Amino acid sequence: MKAVILSAGQGRRLLPLTASRPKCLIELGGRSLLEWQLISLSAAGIREAVVVIGYGAEQVEAVLKACTPAGISVRTLFNPFYEAADNLASCWIARHELRGECLILNGDTLIETAIVERVLGKVSHPITVTIDRKDFYDADDMKVQTSGSQLVAIGKKLTADIVNGESIGFLRFTTEGAARFVGEVERIMRTPEGLKLWYLSVIHRIASVSGDVGYTSIEGLGWGEMDFLPDVAHNEALVAGWPQPANRPAAAAAGVA
């Protein structure tokens, strides 16, 4: 099982914190968001990760060299379109990595290990979207509509009367699901609007014409997004209660990160 982490963006909504570093390197409890992601993936048994980078690429590579947790190997792919494109382009860059059983994790999604373990459980659909549920969804939430075990729609502009969850930005693919997703990514990237689309718009298209997309609910488990400045305090509080790995690389412990 391989995880692809989409971390090419700057995160302008987090300025001034991202004036000279990408948002995946914002520190939470002395560790970057990216390091926390790798810790959770590794603790759940994921042994390989590919990080798609763009803004601040050299900084990200330096942090990975110093802070990659034990038990997981990490490679990077550079997205040269990060300034002009949305994250569908990052999936296109990583399309050759999305083969067999695999995961996609948004670079601004903080997750605890229990979420990864739940996503790695039994699956019933080729594509599985991880969702949470709450009482109210705002305009920036990536909202979903589910019916039975299927996810039937996903997008920020879904109307309130059909919304019953939100995507947290963490997906699992079977071999069949990955092939279906990559095929659709390649098709849409040939269209004029391809560079400006979110990859979840591809999931919406697949869901709307087939029953191939399911979901896993992680209600009650700890996660957070890193979109706006108030999110930093929320995420700091979240990681404060998480286990601190004892085998952090010596270079990182000395302050390289």
Side-chain angles (χ1 to χ4, degrees), residues 34-72:
L34 178 57
E35 186 180 355
W36 282 114
Q37 291 178 317
L38 293 172
I39 288 169
S40 292
L41 291 168
S42 178
I46 301 301
R47 295 293 170 253
E48 182 179 8
V50 177
V51 183
V52 184
I53 58 178
Y55 180 78
E58 294 79 8
Q59 296 177 58
V60 177
E61 289 175 331
V63 168
L64 288 173
K65 184 177 181 179
C67 302
T68 295
I72 187 170

Side-chain angles (χ1 to χ4, degrees), residues 216-234:
T216 294
S217 174
I218 50 86
E219 293 170 80
L221 298 180
W223 73 281
E225 293 180 296
M226 189 71 84
D227 287 327
F228 303 99
L229 289 173
D231 294 336
V232 179
H234 170 269

Side-chain angles (χ1 to χ4, degrees), residues 13-146:
R13 295 184 295 185
L14 285 157
L15 288 169
L17 290 181
T18 54
S20 59
R21 61 178 170 177
K23 63 179 174 179
C24 69
L25 296 188
I26 291 176
E27 287 195 1
L28 305 167
R31 301 175 188 267
S32 68
L33 168 58
L34 178 57
E35 186 180 355
W36 282 114
Q37 291 178 317
L38 293 172
I39 288 169
S40 292
L41 291 168
S42 178
I46 301 301
R47 295 293 170 253
E48 182 179 8
V50 177
V51 183
V52 184
I53 58 178
Y55 180 78
E58 294 79 8
Q59 296 177 58
V60 177
E61 289 175 331
V63 168
L64 288 173
K65 184 177 181 179
C67 302
T68 295
I72 187 170
S73 65
V74 183
R75 294 178 287 110
T76 61
L77 289 175
F78 181 69
N79 176 3
F81 314 116
Y82 70 90
E83 286 278 11
D86 220 306
N87 59 20
L88 180 61
S90 286
C91 290
W92 183 82
I93 293 290
R95 66 195 185 281
H96 299 302
E97 302 287 351
L98 296 168
R99 294 178 177 175
E101 294 266 348
C102 56
L103 307 167
I104 288 179
L105 176 61
N106 288 5
D108 57 3
T109 299
L110 181 68
I111 52 173
E112 67 170 313
T113 300
I115 290 178
V116 187
E117 292 171 340
R118 183 168 297 182
V119 170
L120 294 179
K122 184 178 179 180
V123 296
S124 57
H125 294 76
I127 300 171
T128 303
V129 177
T130 308
I131 71 166
D132 198 3
R133 302 188 191 274
K134 57 186 181 182
D135 295 331
F136 172 79
Y137 302 93
D138 61 39
D140 197 60
D141 290 334
M142 187 59 71
K143 296 172 278 291
V144 302
Q145 178 189 12
T146 63

